[in-house]
């Protein structure tokens, strides 16, 4: 049986993907900062903490576990604009959304290389491809998710040469606890007294993560590089941006 490690498996799309991976026959090891009580298939991990990641890595080493799929779904969201947003908060956003991916991929590459079909799934955002009409005042989130997109492109280029598939999931309007979890993280890491969550999605047409998860997993396992629950919206906005870039660069 193949093994998948799902980081961020306590809620939202992470939980949905973990369940879907089990449905298609994988042994799933679930890891999350919310899992304070551990067993052989449920592990605590704080992606911002090297020692925490090292402890999780040692579990794989001590049990000689071959890792077939590394799936990272954790992240944070925050609101603000350049005129008043503190650099300290942006450091935190970059740490959670970018460097967590960096640390986890780096630590688990040796276990992926033992697999015959190694795969990595990173979680970006539609906002990581452009600043759209419904992302006003989400500057720190947009910046950090653009960074994730750049990281994905770089390691996809490099690791594909070593036989490791790297895919990027670009969720759009998906229900979850991103805002609530981010509020708790701001209280813990920035020592803020947060009364209300930031970056709350108010749309009525939010996708159910458990409904879309199986489709995400099937596309991931089929070898798709880019995956989204709302591909047409992403393509429309990217084509609009590309058209402007072409016009400016070529003076058309």
């Amino acid at each position: 049986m193949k093994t998948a490690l799902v980081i961020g498996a306590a809620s939202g799309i992470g939980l949905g993907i973990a369940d879907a991976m089990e449905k298609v026959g994988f042994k799933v090891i679930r890891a999350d900062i919310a899992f304070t009580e551990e067993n052989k298939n449920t592990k605590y991990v704080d992606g911002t903490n090297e020692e925490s990641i090292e402890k999780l890595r040692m579990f794989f080493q001590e049990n000689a576990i071959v890792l077939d799929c590394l799936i990272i779904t954790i992240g944070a969201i925050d609101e603000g604009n350049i005129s008043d947003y503190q650099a300290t908060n942006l450091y935190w956003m970059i740490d959670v959304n970018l460097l967590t991916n960096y640390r986890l991929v780096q630590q688990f590459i040796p276990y992926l290389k033992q697999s015959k079909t190694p795969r990595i799934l990173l979680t970006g955002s539609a906002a990581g491809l452009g600043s759209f009409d419904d992302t006003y005042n989400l500057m720190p989130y947009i910046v950090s998710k653009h960074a994730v997109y750049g990281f994905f492109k770089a390691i996809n280029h490099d690791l594909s040469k070593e036989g490791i598939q790297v895919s990027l999931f670009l969720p759009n309007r998906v229900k979850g606890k991103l805002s609530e979890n981010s509020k708790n993280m701001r209280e813990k890491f920035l020592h803020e007294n947060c009364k209300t969550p930031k970056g709350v999605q108010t749309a009525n047409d939010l996708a159910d993560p458990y409904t879309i998860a199986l489709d995400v997993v099937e596309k991931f396992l089929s070898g798709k590089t880019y995956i989204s629950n709302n591909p047409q919206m992403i393509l429309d906005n990217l084509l609009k941006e590309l058209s402007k870039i072409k016009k400016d660069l070529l003076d058309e």
Side-chain angles (χ1 to χ4, degrees), residues 176-187:
K177 294 185 177 181
L178 178 61
S179 297
E180 179 183 336
N181 292 340
S182 298
K183 171 182 159 312
N184 295 335
M185 283 192 280
R186 283 202 306 277
E187 291 174 344

Side-chain angles (χ1 to χ4, degrees), residues 8 14 18 21 29 37 41 52 65 73 82 92 146 154 178 217 241 243 245 250:
M21 291 293 287
I29 298 172
E37 295 186 10
N41 294 325
S52 179
I65 299 173
T73 69
I82 189 62
W92 166 67
H146 269 71
L178 178 61
V217 164
E241 184 175 358
S243 178
I245 293 172
L250 300 180

Side-chain angles (χ1 to χ4, degrees), residues 43-149:
K43 298 294 176 183
Y44 171 88
V45 70
D46 175 359
T48 66
N49 186 291
E50 293 278 5
E51 292 182 0
S52 179
I53 296 174
E54 174 67 10
K55 181 181 177 182
L56 180 61
R57 186 193 69 78
M58 287 301 298
F59 168 75
F60 276 74
Q61 179 172 314
E62 292 168 357
N63 292 276
I65 299 173
V66 175
L67 181 60
D68 298 285
C69 295
L70 172 63
I71 300 170
I72 306 173
T73 69
I74 56 177
I77 193 168
D78 204 5
E79 297 177 359
N81 57 63
I82 189 62
S83 63
D84 57 9
Y85 194 74
Q86 297 296 315
T88 302
N89 291 52
L90 187 57
Y91 293 153
W92 166 67
M93 288 291 293
I94 295 294
D95 192 12
V96 176
N97 287 342
L98 173 64
L99 295 181
T100 286
N101 286 278
Y102 184 90
R103 296 181 190 105
L104 288 163
V105 170
Q106 188 176 62
Q107 288 281 2
F108 284 95
I109 279 179
Y111 306 94
L112 286 164
K113 287 184 175 180
Q114 296 172 25
S115 170
K116 293 181 180 179
T117 54
R119 294 182 171 94
I120 297 171
L121 179 63
L122 304 180
T123 303
S125 170
L129 297 178
S131 183
F132 306 139
D133 293 338
D134 61 352
T135 58
Y136 177 75
N137 206 40
L138 291 179
M139 178 274 295
Y141 182 68
I142 294 169
V143 169
S144 62
K145 286 298 185 178
H146 269 71
V148 173
Y149 182 46

Side-chain angles (χ1 to χ4, degrees), residues 21 24 27 30 32 43 47 51 60 132 136 142 160 181-182 190 201 207 209 217-218 226 232-233 236:
M21 291 293 287
V24 298
K27 174 184 177 182
R30 302 165 185 245
D32 199 290
K43 298 294 176 183
E51 292 182 0
F60 276 74
F132 306 139
Y136 177 75
I142 294 169
S160 63
N181 292 340
S182 298
L190 298 176
Q201 298 189 95
V217 164
E218 289 176 347
Y226 294 92
Q232 193 59 55
M233 186 282 295
D236 289 345

Side-chain angles (χ1 to χ4, degrees), residues 227-245:
I227 304 167
S228 177
N229 64 297
N230 195 353
Q232 193 59 55
M233 186 282 295
I234 290 175
L235 287 174
D236 289 345
N237 281 283
L238 285 176
L239 288 171
K240 187 186 300 183
E241 184 175 358
L242 182 60
S243 178
K244 177 172 176 52
I245 293 172

